[in-house]
Amino acid sequence: MGKFSMANENPVVAEWIAKADADWELAAMAQAAANPKLRDGVVYHAQQCVEKLLKARLIQLGQTIRKT
């Protein structure tokens, strides 16, 4: 597992966490490049990471996530 994890994972939760890990890594890479043109990308991927972690947690708590 990558940077993020949650105890008692089911496969769907693990998938969302893996996607969040990838977004976090992309944000970190863009930030490390220290290129002002990539700032929007850093923010975008950080937001996507948080959204996916929230979805993972809601699923873990038994909530149904509607696809939008």
Side-chain angles (χ1 to χ4, degrees):
M1 183 63 37
K3 182 163 184 71
F4 304 105
S5 66
M6 293 183 192
N8 302 320
E9 294 175 19
N10 70 43
V12 176
V13 171
E15 285 179 43
W16 280 112
I17 292 172
K19 290 175 189 240
D21 280 332
D23 279 316
W24 186 256
E25 189 171 332
L26 284 166
M29 289 169 49
Q31 184 175 2
N35 182 339
K37 293 179 182 179
L38 299 177
R39 286 182 187 148
D40 286 344
V42 172
V43 173
Y44 173 78
H45 286 291
Q47 181 274 327
Q48 288 293 298
C49 174
V50 171
E51 183 177 325
K52 290 168 184 164
L53 288 173
L54 286 171
K55 286 181 179 182
R57 181 64 176 144
L58 289 171
I59 292 167
Q60 188 181 46
L61 293 171
Q63 299 293 315
T64 301
I65 304 300
R66 288 187 310 126
K67 192 168 188 169
T68 57

